[in-house]
Amino acid sequence: MSEQPNGAHRAVVFDMDGVLVESEHLWERMWAKFAAARGKTWTVEQTRQVQGMSAPEWSAFLAEFAEATESAEATEKIVVDDMIAALDGGEIELLPGSARMVTEAAARAPIALASSAPRRLIDAVLDRHGLIKHFSATVSSAEVPKGKPSPDVYLAAAEKLGQDPKQCLAVEDSSNGLRAAAAAGMTVVAIPNSDYPPAEDALAGASYIASDLDDVRQRLVSSLPEPVGS
């Protein structure tokens, strides 16, 4: 993917899980807990299958996999309730460097969130960690026709920001997220998830592969306009 010159980008769209907070292992735990309570064994293979899916998509998958008597909607509520409880219990913490990355990017350009997490969890996480004020827009993939790897959630974020996707940077960690951001036409900065390493084809769509969030921050800062009044 071609890169634009420094300062040419006009906005940033962040993923949440694996970029701002470390919670993907908790999702896996809650899916496995739900399945186990119904006599089924959820493995990393199922996790890979649902990564990037919207809540309506993964809840339908989980309910069918577990042969649950609950509807997809009820399945989603049970799992998200468990995630909110984990947040309340201090288990969903900011990743090192994520707060500085967000605040420095927001000082230079409007920023948005494009997450597969349901709205209820997005709002709770950003509020709990004092980040909500920095975001001009947030979009859950449950609010668009298709979850990642479809580009819908990234296109919706760009539209809410009033920006051309081609002028947006995207920060992603997982295969389907990377594919979604690239398909939206954004310049993608990858921060590979160490627990669920992205596929080679997904990484190939990134313009830059960062070593950590401080590396991401520096890349964003160099690609955005100078702060107003600087």
Side-chain angles (χ1 to χ4, degrees):
M1 182 177 296
S2 62
E3 296 184 47
Q4 296 194 34
N6 286 1
H9 294 92
R10 293 289 174 261
V12 183
V13 184
F14 293 97
D15 178 35
M16 186 170 80
D17 289 327
V19 172
L20 303 186
V21 295
E22 191 59 78
S23 56
E24 290 185 330
H25 66 292
L26 293 173
W27 282 112
E28 185 169 49
R29 189 173 90 195
M30 303 317 179
W31 291 326
K33 175 184 172 183
F34 182 93
R38 290 150 187 83
K40 302 297 179 182
T41 302
W42 183 275
T43 70
V44 68
E45 179 54 37
Q46 281 74 50
T47 296
R48 286 198 183 96
Q49 286 181 264
V50 301
Q51 273 185 322
M53 285 186 180
S54 67
E57 291 168 336
W58 64 247
S59 60
F61 180 98
L62 175 58
E64 182 178 358
F65 174 83
E67 298 179 6
T69 57
E70 294 88 351
S71 65
E73 292 78 10
T75 298
E76 177 186 335
K77 184 179 185 307
I78 291 167
V79 173
V80 176
D81 283 349
D82 282 346
M83 289 295 289
I84 296 288
L87 175 65
D88 290 340
E91 290 193 79
I92 303 180
E93 294 298 321
L94 291 177
L95 285 164
S98 64
R100 184 181 179 191
M101 174 182 67
V102 165
T103 54
E104 291 195 12
R108 292 170 174 266
I111 67 171
L113 190 77
S115 175
S116 298
R119 167 60 55 190
R120 187 156 61 104
L121 188 61
I122 289 172
D123 292 346
V125 167
L126 294 183
D127 179 65
R128 180 65 48 83
H129 293 299
L131 295 180
I132 192 72
K133 63 187 177 185
H134 297 296
F135 285 87
S136 299
T138 60
V139 186
S140 166
S141 59
E143 298 160 355
V144 296
K146 290 183 179 179
K148 303 171 184 179
S150 294
D152 302 23
V153 69
Y154 276 99
L155 294 173
E159 183 177 8
K160 282 194 171 191
L161 291 176
Q163 299 290 335
D164 182 340
K166 291 184 173 59
Q167 291 187 311
C168 295
L169 291 150
V171 184
E172 268 286 359
D173 70 309
S174 65
S175 293
N176 282 339
L178 291 164
R179 292 176 182 124
M186 296 186 179
T187 299
V188 184
V189 178
I191 175 71
N193 189 303
S194 57
D195 292 329
Y196 310 99
E200 287 301 317
D201 74 284
L203 281 174
S207 71
Y208 185 71
I209 300 174
S211 57
D212 56 26
L213 290 182
D214 192 56
D215 192 12
V216 174
R217 177 187 60 79
Q218 293 179 58
R219 189 70 175 184
L220 298 181
V221 165
S222 70
S223 302
L224 294 167
E226 288 293 326
V228 176
S230 63

